[in-house]
């Protein structure tokens, strides 16, 4: 995993001012040899455009780690959908995080993501495994 040069875009959910979780993740991914970019998009479209330009392996979209943000799930679902549409031919692993996911109130399935992090511990290993899986050739039986 350390020798792989994966890329991740750590983004605040559009309109989310809190980036504690993403900041902690940035250090972990950088230390592991990943290329890390951070984004504070003003809209889902802005985030999708950045993904379309950068083509990262993973995008991690964060809600607040402190505040529950219950009313943001529908908007986050739309953001995830637009992220997936940014480069439909290329595999993109989508991870989400924040208090809603840490407390298991919401899951990755609620918003169409591949992973919902409940903590920062082990996230980079899980992401590397998901990237490898997304790139694996599919077998036709």
């Amino acid at each position: 995993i350390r020798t792989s040069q994966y890329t991740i875009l750590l983004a605040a959910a559009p309109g989310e001012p809190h980036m504690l979780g993403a900041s902690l993740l940035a250090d972990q991914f950088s230390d592991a040899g990943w290329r890390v970019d951070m984004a504070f998009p003003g809209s889902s479209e802005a985030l999708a455009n950045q993904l379309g330009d950068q083509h990262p392996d993973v995008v991690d979209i964060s809600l607040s780690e402190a505040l529950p943000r219950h009313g943001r799930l529908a908007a986050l679902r739309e953001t995830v959908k637009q992220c997936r549409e940014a480069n439909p031919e290329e595999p993109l692993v989508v991870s989400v995080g924040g208090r809603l996911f840490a407390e298991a109130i919401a899951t990755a399935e609620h918003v169409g993501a591949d992973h919902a992090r409940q903590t920062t511990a082990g996230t980079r290993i899980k992401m590397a495994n998901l990237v490898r899986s997304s790139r694996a050739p599919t077998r036709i039986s």
Side-chain angles (χ1 to χ4, degrees), residues 63-86:
L63 291 172
S64 174
E65 299 291 338
L67 304 171
R69 303 282 196 238
H70 296 280
R72 300 286 306 274
L73 280 179
L76 186 58
R77 186 178 309 113
E78 182 61 27
T79 297
V80 169
K81 179 182 174 208
Q82 289 186 24
C83 288
R84 292 200 185 282
E85 293 170 351

Side-chain angles (χ1 to χ4, degrees), residues 15-109:
E16 177 62 58
H18 297 112
M19 285 290 290
L20 175 62
S23 297
L24 296 172
L25 282 175
D27 289 340
Q28 288 183 15
F29 282 97
S30 292
D31 289 348
W34 286 54
R35 286 181 307 196
V36 177
D37 284 311
M38 296 187 80
F40 302 89
S43 67
S44 296
E45 294 81 14
L47 179 56
N49 288 340
Q50 188 168 353
L51 290 168
D53 291 342
Q54 292 181 331
H55 305 271
D57 299 305
V58 179
V59 61
D60 181 89
I61 306 167
S62 298
L63 291 172
S64 174
E65 299 291 338
L67 304 171
R69 303 282 196 238
H70 296 280
R72 300 286 306 274
L73 280 179
L76 186 58
R77 186 178 309 113
E78 182 61 27
T79 297
V80 169
K81 179 182 174 208
Q82 289 186 24
C83 288
R84 292 200 185 282
E85 293 170 351
N87 293 310
E89 315 82 40
E90 297 177 13
L92 174 67
V93 173
V94 179
S95 175
V96 291
R99 184 172 172 183
L100 277 174
F101 302 101
E103 293 178 350
I105 294 167
T107 66
E109 289 178 356

